């Protein structure tokens, strides 16, 4: 008996689940690197003048702040930075997983090929989006170690998404 054809909606839903799993893998990778490198408690402030906490907020939190304040006309207090960072990180990774599901549901590429390519594409798109917003510098302006870590996180994400999608898909 032939396997039933998968629908685009099914591919999208499997992609969402795979995106969440890939985001979990990326997050674990990031946490491991932070733990191995040790945390730097210095925030660069001199202590002489008050510093806006949003200046040191992550790019995901700053994007969320811009959307909330620009679209919904609501002020976002600094105590929401952590929540916004996590919501954007997990939402962005999960939604990219949906795109992976639709793509993989169409091309049926090998996960070990598609995963790193997909992760690299997500990494590149972050610069395409965040450099014009003034939240990132172009990658060549960062130290090589910073770029290597960032690429590594996204490769972990891509392989995690591809592997999870293949497992969910029964392949």
């Amino acid at each position: 008996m032939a396997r039933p054809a998968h629908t685009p909606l099914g591919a999208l839903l499997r992609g969402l689940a795979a995106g969440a799993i890939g985001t979990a893998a990326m997050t674990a990778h990031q946490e491991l690197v932070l733990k191995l490198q040790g945390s730097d408690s210095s925030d660069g402030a001199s202590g002489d003048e008050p510093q806006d906490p949003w200046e040191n907020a992550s790019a995901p939190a700053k994007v969320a702040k811009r959307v909330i304040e620009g679209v919904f006309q609501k002020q976002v207090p600094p105590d929401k930075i952590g929540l916004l960072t996590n919501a954007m990180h997990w939402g962005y990774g999960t939604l990219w997983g949906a795109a992976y599901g639709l793509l993989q549901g169409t091309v049926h590429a090998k996960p070990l090929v598609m995963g790193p390519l997909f992760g690299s594409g997500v990494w590149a798109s972050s610069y395409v989006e965040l450099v014009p917003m003034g939240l990132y510098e172009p990658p060549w302006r960062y130290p090589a170690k910073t770029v290597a870590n960032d690429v590594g996180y996204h490769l972990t994400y891509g392989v995690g998404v591809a592997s999870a999608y293949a497992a969910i898909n029964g392949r």
Side-chain angles (χ1 to χ4, degrees):
M1 180 175 214
R3 276 177 82 168
H6 294 292
T7 66
L9 179 59
L12 181 125
L13 293 173
R14 286 187 299 281
L16 285 171
I21 294 167
T23 303
M26 179 181 186
T27 303
H29 184 177
Q30 290 170 321
E31 292 295 326
L32 178 63
V33 168
L34 282 174
K35 189 173 190 174
L36 292 174
Q37 291 178 346
S39 64
D40 179 13
S41 61
S42 163
D43 62 4
S46 66
D48 294 338
E49 51 191 72
Q51 186 170 354
D52 178 6
W54 284 104
E55 289 179 23
N56 292 326
S58 68
K62 288 177 181 178
V63 170
K65 180 180 187 284
R66 286 185 184 188
V67 170
I68 292 167
E69 291 183 350
V71 175
F72 300 105
Q73 302 296 304
K74 302 274 186 193
Q75 286 293 101
V76 182
D79 68 335
K80 300 295 184 205
I81 291 172
L83 173 66
L84 293 176
T85 296
N86 281 313
M88 289 296 289
H89 173 73
W90 284 90
Y92 191 77
T94 300
L95 286 174
W96 266 110
Y100 179 87
L102 292 173
L103 180 63
Q104 185 65 334
T106 302
V107 300
H108 310 290
K110 294 188 183 303
L112 289 178
V113 172
M114 186 64 127
L117 288 173
F118 182 71
S120 298
V122 173
W123 172 79
S125 76
S126 68
Y127 283 90
V128 168
E129 297 162 354
L130 297 173
V131 170
M133 292 176 75
L135 299 177
Y136 270 15
E137 293 292 327
W140 54 86
R141 292 203 180 145
Y142 291 104
K145 182 178 179 180
T146 300
V147 175
N149 279 339
D150 199 25
V151 169
Y153 300 145
H154 286 84
L155 291 175
T156 297
Y157 169 77
V159 171
V161 170
S163 299
Y165 187 87
I168 293 166
N169 210 28
R171 294 193 175 139

